[in-house]
């Protein structure tokens, strides 16, 4: 990379000359994975309004293949999606050694899915529609788990 170049982080550009202290003081990076574009977009706007950096993905594969996997401080993950579902992604991330705190969101889940998600380390399991406050509390809790 060129000295003084700008790199894209979410919706913002930052200089590669940023000090180490500035990098440490950056706001946590939250990733949202949901196949429903309306939920995904509204969740992104909500997370951004809380003051966090955020990026959205339409599928588990899109997130796993992104450059954001290593940077994610928290993952908001839909349970049911076409292709790999949220529980499968949680399992794959765990097996690969990625310890990203996960908040599951769902409109259609059962007690067994919630039990499996929590046993595998999920921070919260929220049912759609969820309140802004419950999501903010879940994100804050997830970030404390790091």
């Amino acid at each position: 990379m060129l000295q003084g170049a700008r790199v894209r982080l979410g919706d913002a550009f930052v200089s590669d000359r940023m000090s180490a202290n500035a990098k440490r003081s950056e706001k946590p990076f939250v990733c949202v994975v949901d196949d429903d574009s309306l939920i995904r977009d509204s969740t992104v706007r909500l997370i951004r309004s809380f003051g966090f950096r955020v990026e959205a993905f339409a599928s588990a594969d899109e997130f796993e293949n992104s450059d954001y996997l290593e940077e994610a401080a928290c993952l908001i993950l839909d349970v049911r999606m076409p292709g790999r579902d949220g529980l499968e992604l949680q399992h794959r991330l765990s097996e690969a050694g990625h310890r990203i705190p996960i908040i599951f969101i769902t409109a259609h889940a059962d007690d067994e899915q919630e039990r499996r998600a929590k046993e595998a380390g999920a921070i919260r399991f929220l049912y759609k529609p969820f309140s802004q406050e419950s999501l903010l509390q879940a994100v804050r809790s997830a970030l404390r788990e790091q």
Side-chain angles (χ1 to χ4, degrees):
M1 180 183 294
L2 296 174
Q3 183 73 12
R6 292 165 31 114
V7 294
R8 185 176 172 95
L9 288 177
D11 288 336
F13 287 91
V14 295
S15 169
D16 71 354
R17 288 190 275 182
M18 187 183 309
S19 73
N21 287 340
K23 287 181 182 178
R24 275 194 295 267
S25 69
E26 283 182 1
K27 293 180 180 175
F29 188 67
V30 177
C31 292
V32 177
V33 182
D34 196 314
D35 62 310
D36 183 325
S37 64
L38 294 175
I39 296 291
R40 191 173 58 243
D41 294 344
S42 64
T43 303
V44 163
R45 284 191 304 275
L46 182 59
I47 295 298
R48 196 169 282 135
S49 76
F50 295 154
F52 299 108
R53 297 178 303 133
V54 63
E55 188 68 38
F57 305 89
S59 70
D61 287 335
E62 186 180 331
F63 172 70
E64 263 194 303
N65 295 323
S66 77
D67 293 333
Y68 298 103
L69 179 61
E70 297 297 326
E71 189 180 355
C74 174
L75 181 59
I76 299 171
L77 181 56
D78 190 14
V79 173
R80 290 190 183 174
M81 296 181 286
R84 255 184 302 121
D85 68 20
L87 294 170
E88 291 173 274
L89 178 58
Q90 179 188 36
H91 180 75
R92 286 176 56 102
L93 292 172
S94 179
E95 283 199 334
H98 298 288
R99 303 289 180 239
I100 306 167
I102 296 174
I103 300 163
F104 276 101
I105 58 175
T106 188
H108 309 284
D110 55 40
D111 291 339
E112 176 63 17
Q113 288 173 318
E114 183 174 357
R115 183 192 62 75
R116 286 178 39 215
K118 287 183 176 178
E119 282 180 359
I123 302 299
R124 292 281 195 291
F125 202 93
L126 302 176
Y127 289 88
K128 299 172 188 175
F130 45 82
S131 71
Q132 292 180 8
E133 184 60 31
S134 64
L135 183 60
L136 176 58
Q137 288 175 355
V139 170
R140 286 180 175 159
S141 177
L143 295 173
R144 281 191 299 270
E145 293 289 323
Q146 289 188 309

